[in-house]
Amino acid sequence: MVFQRSRTAVYRYLGKRLEMALGLGLILVVTVIENILSSTVAITFFVAVLIIRLPSVKKGFDEFSYTQLTLNKETLIITTKEGDTEYQLDDFKIMLYKKRAKAITVFVLMSENDGVKFEYYQHMNQLFDTLSESVMLRKEIPWWQRL
C-alpha cells in the first residue's frame, strides 16, 4: 500500500508553526508590558528566532512535497527527496499515538535504535490499523503532551 501526505498537510503544518510564533510573540509582549525587557530587545529576539527557525520550516515544506510511504507485509519504505529509507516492521516495539474525535492525528513507531513519526498523511486511521498489527505495545498519549 502507498500512502501520500494529505492535501491540507501544508496548511496544518503552517498553522502549527504560526501558532508557535504567536505564542512566543505573546510571551514577549507580556515581558515588555511588565518592563522585564525593552521593546527593542523583544523585537530583536522575536526576529532572531524567526530567522533561526526559517530553514527548518522550509525543510518541512519540502518534506510534504516529496514524502511517500510504501507499506509491504514486512517492510516500511519512506521515500523522500534524499532517497529511500527502509525499516523492518518486526524491529518496531512501541507505538505512541494521539486521537482527536476517534481519529488518529499523529503516531510514532519506536524501535531500539529508531523512531518514525507519522503525521499529516491521508487515511491515517487505515495506516495506523495496518501498522499496529505488527507492534506489540500501543499507548495513547494525552492531548497536551508533545509527541
Side-chain angles (χ1 to χ4, degrees):
M1 286 195 275
V2 176
F3 293 91
Q4 302 282 341
R5 296 283 184 164
S6 70
R7 292 182 204 159
T8 60
V10 172
Y11 304 114
R12 291 183 2 212
Y13 176 77
L14 184 60
K16 187 184 277 189
R17 296 297 171 231
L18 287 174
E19 182 181 338
M20 292 167 65
L22 180 65
L24 175 63
L26 289 174
I27 290 170
L28 291 173
V29 165
V30 170
T31 61
V32 170
I33 290 172
E34 294 295 323
N35 292 323
I36 297 171
L37 293 175
S38 69
S39 60
T40 308
V41 172
I43 291 170
T44 305
F45 182 72
F46 185 75
V47 169
V49 169
L50 287 181
I51 290 171
I52 290 169
R53 295 291 298 160
L54 192 61
S56 68
V57 172
K58 185 182 180 314
K59 182 181 175 191
F61 277 121
D62 288 343
E63 213 175 90
F64 290 116
S65 302
Y66 298 107
T67 302
Q68 176 179 307
L69 250 157
T70 307
L71 185 60
N72 300 324
K73 290 184 178 182
E74 297 176 358
T75 61
L76 170 70
I77 301 168
I78 301 176
T79 305
T80 61
K81 193 176 185 179
E82 290 83 32
D84 292 352
T85 307
E86 186 172 329
Y87 299 97
Q88 295 298 319
L89 291 178
D90 293 342
D91 292 343
F92 294 114
K93 307 295 182 207
I94 301 171
M95 177 184 276
L96 305 174
Y97 63 96
K98 285 187 180 183
K99 279 185 173 182
R100 184 182 307 141
K102 297 184 181 179
I104 301 296
T105 56
V106 60
F107 64 93
V108 176
L109 285 177
M110 300 176 78
S111 68
E112 292 187 24
N113 301 323
D114 277 327
V116 182
K117 185 174 184 177
F118 299 89
E119 192 172 18
Y120 308 120
Y121 282 96
Q122 293 177 354
H123 313 292
M124 281 290 286
N125 286 340
Q126 181 184 5
L127 177 61
F128 175 81
D129 291 339
T130 305
L131 289 172
S132 66
E133 294 170 0
S134 63
V135 179
M136 295 182 301
L137 180 62
R138 293 176 292 280
K139 179 163 176 37
E140 185 173 357
I141 302 298
W143 65 269
W144 49 266
Q145 192 171 358
R146 187 165 187 240
L147 190 60

